[in-house]
């Protein structure tokens, strides 16, 4: 989980990253409109994929910008077939189901 991002249900941006060799390999083939399900210890959340972006490894503006909407961004290194991965590929998703996070 990206440092400073929100938990699912906190009305902000949740950012997750993982290694392409073990996780998130399917990001490249995921279609707009697909549903991503997140099971947490406090509830189930569903997100619809609304965009897919490729960006520079040096550009974290996509990860930091939080407009207050409940979104999920999942990203990994890219391109997959390259040994030197200077880019990242991300799915941008909007929440379609899930309760508000309650810290109590």
């Amino acid at each position: 989980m990206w440092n400073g991002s929100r938990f699912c249900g906190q009305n902000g941006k949740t950012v997750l990253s993982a290694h392409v060799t073990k996780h998130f390999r399917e990001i490249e083939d995921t279609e707009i409109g697909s549903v991503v399900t997140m099971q947490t210890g406090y509830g189930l959340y569903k997100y619809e994929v609304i965009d897919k972006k490729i960006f520079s490894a040096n550009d974290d503006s996509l990860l930091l910008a939080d407009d207050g909407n409940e979104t999920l961004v999942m990203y990994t290194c890219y391109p997959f077939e390259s040994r030197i991965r200077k880019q990242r590929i991300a799915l941008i998703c909007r929440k379609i189901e899930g309760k508000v996070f309650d810290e109590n």
Side-chain angles (χ1 to χ4, degrees), residues 2-60:
W2 182 265
N3 187 23
S5 70
R6 308 235 179 196
F7 290 109
C8 296
Q10 275 191 314
N11 196 29
K13 185 180 281 187
T14 303
V15 181
L16 303 175
S17 63
H19 292 290
V20 68
T21 54
K22 295 187 182 205
H23 310 286
F24 287 9
R25 180 71 181 211
E26 64 277 4
I27 285 179
E28 184 177 45
D29 298 323
T30 302
E31 295 182 16
I32 304 299
S34 297
V35 175
V36 175
T37 302
M38 297 280 295
Q39 178 66 56
T40 71
Y42 54 89
L44 179 74
Y45 293 83
K46 291 186 180 182
Y47 297 85
E48 179 183 8
V49 177
I50 59 171
D51 201 0
K52 189 184 314 183
K53 295 211 183 272
I54 296 172
F55 59 101
S56 168
N58 298 326
D59 180 11
D60 56 6

Side-chain angles (χ1 to χ4, degrees), residues 8-11 42 45 70 95 98-103:
C8 296
Q10 275 191 314
N11 196 29
Y42 54 89
Y45 293 83
E70 183 119 8
K95 187 176 98 173
K99 66 180 187 172
V100 174
F101 177 80
D102 184 5
E103 294 184 50

